[in-house]
């Protein structure tokens, strides 16, 4: 999986796991993508650094350098919105 795709997937499920702390499946999926980013792509210190009106700033270290990836907030929050809109998951 490409780095950008894995990072986006991690962010989406990270937001779900934060909003739903008792959701074990969300936590397990978040850990899966975090491990992929760490092991397959060599990222370290992965975190949601900042959220503004339009973007979520994800920081990480790669090859000894600190990097920031900006991801559109609406797209990143879509999975959580979809879950919250489905009565089956609430």
């Amino acid at each position: 999986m490409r780095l950008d795709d894995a990072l986006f997937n991690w962010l989406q499920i990270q937001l779900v796991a934060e909003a739903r702390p008792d959701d074990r499946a969300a936590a397990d999926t978040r850990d899966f993508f975090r491990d992929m980013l760490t092991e397959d792509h060599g990222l370290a210190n992965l975190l949601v650094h900042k959220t503004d009106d339009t973007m979520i700033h994800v920081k990480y270290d790669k090859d000894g350098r600190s990097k920031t990836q900006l991801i559109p907030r609406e797209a990143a929050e879509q999975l959580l919105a979809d879950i919250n809109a489905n009565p089956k998951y609430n």
Side-chain angles (χ1 to χ4, degrees):
M1 180 178 290
R2 294 176 344 135
L3 172 59
D4 289 343
D5 294 335
L7 197 58
F8 179 76
N9 290 336
W10 169 82
L11 176 59
Q12 278 197 313
I13 200 65
Q14 171 67 17
L15 297 175
V16 171
E18 285 176 358
R20 301 169 55 95
D22 295 330
D23 186 336
R24 190 70 217 149
D28 290 346
T29 305
R30 176 204 54 213
D31 294 348
F32 168 79
F33 282 107
R34 186 195 60 228
D35 291 347
M36 179 186 299
L37 288 164
T38 300
E39 296 168 11
D40 296 350
H41 296 286
L43 272 55
N45 303 317
L46 181 64
L47 63 99
V48 175
H49 173 67
K50 181 173 110 175
T51 301
D52 60 34
D53 290 340
T54 61
M55 294 291 196
I56 297 178
H57 303 234
V58 176
K59 286 186 79 169
Y60 58 90
D61 296 333
K62 181 171 174 64
D63 300 327
R65 300 184 65 191
S66 180
K67 299 186 179 211
T68 302
Q69 178 86 20
L70 302 179
I71 298 174
R73 184 175 178 175
E74 185 175 345
E77 293 176 343
Q78 188 61 53
L79 178 61
L80 179 58
D82 291 345
I83 290 170
N84 288 335
N86 188 334
K88 177 179 172 182
Y89 299 110
N90 293 308

